[in-house]
Amino acid sequence: MGQITRSEKDSVEKRSSAALDFGAAWEYAPAPEATDHIRIDPKYELFIGGKWRAPRAGKYFQTISPSTEQVLAEVAEAGAEDVDDAVKAARQAYDNVWSKMRGAERAKYIFRISRAIQEKARELAIVESMDGGKPIKESRDVDVPLAAAHFFYHAGWADKLDYAFQGRPHRPLGVAGQIIPWNFPLLMAAWKIAPALACGNTVVLKPAETTPLTALLLAQIIEECELPPGVVNILTGAGATGAAIASHPDVDKIAFTGSTGVGKRIQKSIAGTTKRLTLELGGKAANIVFGDASLDQAVEGIVRGIYFNQGHVCCAGSRLLVEESVHDVIVRKLKDRMMTLRLGDPLDKNTDVGAINSKMQLGKIRELVEAGEQEGAERYSAPVKLPEKGYWFPPTFFTGAGQSCRIAREEIFGPVLTIMTFRTPDEAIEKANNTMYGLSAGIWTDKGSKIFHMATRLKAGVIWGNTYNKFDPSSPFGGYKESGFGREGGRQGLLAYTDVE
Ligand code: NAI
Ligand code: MG
């Protein structure tokens, strides 16, 4: 771990000694975010029907900080009976209050949630980084502002649905069961809850078991905003809780973000029912760099696309397709940039690469990296010192991997990049599309026409041109092929929560 391969070692050491000396002269002093004003309760209950309630079976689990392995809190584990209670509360709130309320009134509540997230932004960002391991830079500048923006954007739609659907008759679906992952815990909760509420549905949401805390803080916010009881219910728990939500007969719609395996299982479990389903699953995005691109800008985009946030992004640019003529220069520039990446304490404001979310995820990353080495690809890992406690993996890339290698096909969900080459735009398109996924792609070139030409032929839901990993609530997000179906965000995202005639 943290080692560089022998063949790379000498040249890197020679080449990078200057860079390291330079780095040492500009060593950053630690700049950790203060945590003394943060309140994490020792124990959290379930939020059902507007009240905090112990789980009927009395079971709890722990959530830890993956950067320190410290226990942060005990969290209730919802069983099937609790799920039933939450669905009943959501049904009552739907029938009696929320589906009858005018859009303009719903909008006020959704707007209030957005404002409360902004007011508590600092606390939410710190708890997000503690519970999930992501750098505070990311949670402070990306996750939390985007979560607030998502509620704000959807507050705007709540009274304008007639325009969204061009006058066609439309009605909400009813009770939405929503299951979310650990990579963007608060943001994914916002992506799910905001459009559901705007369209007049009520919600039972389950956060991931490794990152429940910001969803629980959001439940507190929802309570403070005085949403009618039962409109939003938050149930913590693991896979069994999620399965109980998905299979509950009185849930009208399931929205799931997570692994392709679980997505398929949910799809099977609801086959033959009238439940509506949207799935946002894995990805193996190609970041395509042409020789005419601004290479330094492209390298920055590559780094942001895979190393920031530890590659814990479903649309991470985990395959780099480089035009053959610039392969060596891109690899050299990438190594230089990797030398300056700061890995460590997620709460430090200078940290670029935080902790891997869980021991399990670290195991999966290690397994795939070993497979890459065994399949004959050449590995380079940034020579960073990994902290002793917690779960860490150094920024890594592979060169010389064939398209059939596991590291070129499977979602690694870690800071691991697989670099391959192409000679013509057609070859780039063929290689980029040679995956079971189709969530996102990036194109780097000086020619706008090339971006449009490529974008129409890439089978991916989101395509960035000369940038990467940019999000906006007004821009729909979702996949092709095994990356799932349905869109989140934008006008298209409203369709996931509405029955339109
Ligand atoms: P996962 O798919 O098991 O977990 C996502 C959510 O689904 C969690 O809330 C979990 O509790 C819930 N869940 C698990 N089993 C369920 C079931 N049978 N029915 C209903 N809900 C269930 O993902 P996991 O195990 O945390 O990560 C495994 C891999 O999945 C990662 O290595 C990564 O490749 C991929 N992943 C993709 C994400 C994305 O955003 N597309 C997010 C997280 C993981
Ligand atoms: Mg945790």
Side-chain angles (χ1 to χ4, degrees):
M1 289 256 321
Q3 284 164 356
I4 44 183
T5 56
R6 193 174 292 281
S7 57
E8 297 283 358
K9 200 165 178 245
D10 291 344
S11 66
V12 171
E13 276 178 3
K14 261 184 245 144
R15 283 203 46 264
S16 63
S17 59
L20 285 179
D21 289 349
F22 180 77
W26 293 92
E27 205 43 74
Y28 282 31
E33 188 72 58
T35 55
D36 43 6
H37 58 295
I38 299 300
R39 206 185 102 201
I40 296 179
D41 295 341
K43 195 174 182 185
Y44 287 90
E45 308 291 3
L46 305 169
F47 186 63
I48 298 176
K51 296 206 164 55
W52 293 92
R53 241 203 41 195
R56 285 183 188 260
K59 283 196 193 160
Y60 292 82
F61 63 97
Q62 293 179 332
T63 186
I64 64 160
S65 156
S67 61
T68 62
E69 297 177 52
Q70 267 170 347
V71 175
L72 297 173
E74 297 247 298
V75 180
E77 183 183 326
E81 290 178 315
D82 303 306
V83 169
D84 194 45
D85 293 341
V87 174
K88 280 194 181 119
R91 174 63 58 193
Q92 274 181 11
Y94 177 75
D95 287 343
N96 302 332
V97 187
W98 201 247
S99 65
K100 291 185 177 158
M101 194 183 280
R102 286 170 54 232
E105 291 302 310
R106 290 201 306 274
K108 289 182 195 166
Y109 287 106
I110 303 169
F111 181 68
R112 223 185 261 175
I113 299 172
S114 167
R115 292 287 296 135
I117 291 174
Q118 287 175 326
E119 279 161 20
K120 292 175 196 251
R122 188 143 175 252
E123 178 186 358
L124 288 164
I126 291 170
V127 173
E128 197 76 302
S129 285
M130 289 171 81
D131 202 14
K134 64 168 58 192
I136 189 77
K137 245 188 341 194
E138 290 283 315
S139 40
R140 183 196 59 198
D141 298 346
V142 180
D143 297 58
V144 176
L146 274 177
H150 227 77
F151 280 103
F152 184 80
Y153 174 82
H154 284 94
W157 271 126
D159 63 346
K160 300 176 195 71
L161 297 173
D162 288 340
Y163 302 96
F165 307 121
Q166 287 126 8
R168 286 159 67 195
H170 57 87
R171 64 187 80 81
L173 300 175
V175 176
Q178 307 182 318
I179 301 159
I180 58 170
W182 42 261
N183 55 341
F184 289 89
L186 181 70
L187 183 57
M188 287 303 108
W191 276 28
K192 298 279 180 284
I193 296 174
L197 298 188
C199 295
N201 305 272
T202 57
V203 163
V204 176
L205 174 123
K206 189 196 87 65
E209 53 272 37
T210 56
T211 53
L213 295 182
T214 47
L216 292 162
L217 296 187
L218 182 61
Q220 289 174 353
I221 286 174
I222 283 166
E223 190 181 19
E224 284 163 24
C225 291
E226 296 178 348
L227 257 76
V231 170
V232 176
N233 305 275
I234 308 275
L235 299 182
T236 41
T241 310
I245 295 173
S247 61
H248 194 288
D250 203 30
V251 167
D252 300 294
K253 190 241 154 59
I254 305 291
F256 172 79
T257 299
S259 62
T260 298
V262 172
K264 285 182 180 175
R265 221 173 302 157
I266 290 176
Q267 198 172 9
K268 272 189 199 141
S269 79
I270 67 167
T273 72
T274 54
K275 277 180 198 164
R276 292 261 300 261
L277 177 67
T278 42
L279 295 175
E280 201 264 276
L281 310 173
K284 193 72 187 173
N287 215 348
I288 304 167
V289 181
F290 285 96
D292 63 8
S294 161
L295 297 186
D296 290 314
Q297 196 189 334
V299 166
E300 201 53 36
I302 295 161
V303 165
R304 280 170 189 277
I306 189 71
Y307 297 136
F308 283 23
N309 235 336
Q310 308 78 246
H312 289 346
V313 187
C314 45
C315 47
S318 56
R319 289 183 299 155
L320 176 61
L321 295 178
V322 200
E323 193 162 351
E324 203 175 79
S325 56
V326 290
H327 172 267
D328 292 356
V329 58
I330 286 280
V331 167
R332 181 168 56 74
K333 283 176 184 285
L334 187 57
K335 277 185 184 170
D336 280 351
R337 181 64 179 89
M338 285 163 80
M339 286 289 172
T340 63
L341 285 176
R342 290 180 164 75
L343 177 146
D345 183 4
L347 290 179
D348 192 307
K349 298 178 198 94
N350 295 319
T351 294
D352 301 308
V353 186
I356 301 302
N357 183 265
S358 66
K359 199 173 183 175
M360 208 177 84
Q361 188 58 29
L362 180 58
K364 187 186 158 193
I365 297 169
R366 283 182 176 156
E367 187 214 322
L368 276 158
V369 165
E370 270 168 35
E373 286 172 328
Q374 277 163 16
E375 285 178 311
E378 195 169 332
R379 168 184 173 181
Y380 171 79
S381 288
V384 287
K385 193 165 176 298
L386 302 180
E388 278 172 15
K389 279 251 165 191
Y391 314 126
W392 308 91
F393 200 86
T396 293
F397 67 73
F398 280 98
T399 49
Q403 283 189 80
S404 59
C405 285
R406 286 184 68 194
I407 50 166
R409 286 187 294 116
E410 293 181 32
E411 182 174 52
I412 302 177
F413 231 66
V416 182
L417 177 66
T418 303
I419 306 180
M420 294 174 284
T421 58
F422 68 88
R423 288 183 183 172
T424 64
D426 281 349
E427 190 185 346
I429 288 164
E430 201 180 304
K431 283 186 169 166
N433 287 341
N434 183 13
T435 166
M436 66 177 196
Y437 294 115
L439 198 52
S440 58
I443 307 163
W444 299 83
T445 169
D446 198 28
K447 283 210 162 41
S449 56
K450 226 188 241 173
I451 293 180
F452 288 120
H453 173 73
M454 298 286 291
T456 53
R457 296 163 72 201
L458 287 169
K459 292 195 169 56
V462 182
I463 297 171
W464 287 289
N466 289 330
T467 187
Y468 207 85
N469 269 355
K470 291 271 189 255
F471 298 92
D472 188 277
S474 64
S475 180
F477 184 90
Y480 276 50
K481 298 192 271 185
E482 293 200 15
S483 290
F485 47 80
R487 294 292 177 263
E488 297 187 285
R491 196 171 59 84
Q492 292 83 346
L494 302 171
L495 287 169
Y497 291 96
T498 315
D499 200 3
V500 184
E501 279 174 19

